[in-house]
Each structure stands twice: as structure tokens, then as C-alpha cells.
Amino acid sequence: MFQLIPGLLYVIVLTAVFTVLLVSLTAASLLSQARTIVRQRYIGSVVSKRNVYKVAKLRPIRATAAAILLQVKDIETNRLLTTFKRPAAMRLYEQCFYIKPYFMSGAYLIRVNDIANVSTTRNALVVTFMHEDRVIALQCRAPNISKWRDSLHLLISTHK
């Protein structure tokens, strides 16, 4: 009888650990899928697979592969459109601002004409843009944030 207790305890602990892992991974997956649906409803054409192909032949003004996409947020409703912070590649073109999160098939492509404001808060670049009468804020972190901000301000001023 005493020989069964350590084995039984071992089985109970393993079952509890795997149950917690299963529940937490399922919850994270469902939350991510829900945010994807909301993001498609809010900014469907801004983030898509076709954006990767649109900029494939263009030459960037500024580029970095070491960025982090912190969040995309609808300002008016205060609703987050992304779930997790993701590593990303960021590029600035003559006509658009492009950010492609790794491990995601689509990319964010924001036209320079749609950008309303560019600022930095807490060492992060905040690009506020208009999409179908909604004010959306994209927040990302990269090396040399001040250079990115200045380059975006220069492009916005030449396009408007």
C-alpha cells in the first residue's frame, strides 16, 4: 500500500500540470483568434497577405529587422486589436509605412497620406492613422526611434 502512494501522487501532479497547460493554451489561442476577427473587422485592408507582395519590389528609405510590435489600438473605443507583443520587421517607403510581424502571414501597410500623427512615448514609436473614419494607433519599438520619427515627419510633411 505504501508503495502505491508516491506513484499515485506523481500521476495526480502530472495530470494537474497538463490540465493547467491545456486550459491556458486553449484560452490564449481563443483570445488570439477573437482579436484576429476584431482586427479584420476594424482594419481589414491595412493588414493582409497582399501587403507583403505589394512592397516586394519597392526600395525602402529606412528598414530594421529588430522591431517589436507592441499593440494596435482603436483610440475611440479604446479596444486593442492585437493580443501579444511580436517581433517584427519595419520598413519605411516613399508612399507607405510597413511593419511585418514574424510568424504572421500578413503585414501592416499604412499609407503616408493616412498618417495623422507620429510621436514617441516610453521609448516606443506611436503612429496614429485614420482608416474608414476610425483613429487607430500602432505602437512599436525599434532601435533609433528618434530617426524613425523624424523620417516619418519628413515624409508626412512632403506628402501633405
Side-chain angles (χ1 to χ4, degrees):
M1 179 71 180
F2 291 110
Q3 294 175 348
L4 290 176
I5 292 177
L8 189 60
L9 185 62
Y10 184 69
V11 169
I12 291 172
V13 168
L14 279 177
T15 303
V17 167
F18 283 124
T19 303
V20 167
L21 277 172
L22 181 66
V23 169
S24 63
L25 290 176
T26 303
S29 174
L30 290 174
L31 180 63
S32 181
Q33 290 174 4
R35 297 268 187 201
T36 302
I37 292 168
V38 169
R39 184 176 59 235
Q40 284 299 108
R41 186 180 324 143
Y42 275 71
I43 55 172
S45 63
V46 172
V47 57
S48 71
K49 291 181 185 179
R50 286 184 285 164
N51 292 340
V52 178
Y53 303 116
K54 286 180 184 177
V55 299
K57 295 180 182 178
L58 299 176
R59 187 167 181 197
I61 297 170
R62 179 172 292 286
T64 185
I68 297 176
L69 177 64
L70 298 175
Q71 66 181 1
V72 180
K73 186 177 189 179
D74 183 4
I75 300 296
E76 296 169 352
T77 60
N78 199 20
R79 178 176 234 169
L80 282 175
L81 304 178
T82 54
T83 310
F84 306 110
K85 296 176 185 174
R86 296 179 181 211
M90 220 167 46
R91 297 183 198 144
L92 182 60
Y93 295 98
E94 193 70 36
Q95 299 293 326
C96 58
F97 176 69
Y98 172 87
I99 185 162
K100 168 131 182 23
Y102 297 132
F103 314 115
M104 185 175 156
S105 59
Y108 294 88
L109 186 67
I110 304 166
R111 294 185 337 200
V112 173
N113 294 337
D114 294 340
I115 296 175
N117 188 18
V118 178
S119 62
T120 54
T121 55
R122 290 179 275 156
N123 202 20
L125 181 71
V126 180
V127 178
T128 307
F129 63 95
M130 298 289 293
H131 179 71
E132 296 178 359
D133 298 331
R134 296 178 196 256
V135 180
I136 309 291
L138 185 140
Q139 190 176 28
C140 53
R141 186 172 289 143
N144 300 324
I145 285 295
S146 61
K147 289 182 181 179
W148 279 94
R149 183 192 63 221
D150 296 341
S151 298
L152 275 165
H153 277 299
L154 182 65
L155 271 180
I156 291 169
S157 66
T158 57
H159 281 278
K160 289 187 180 182

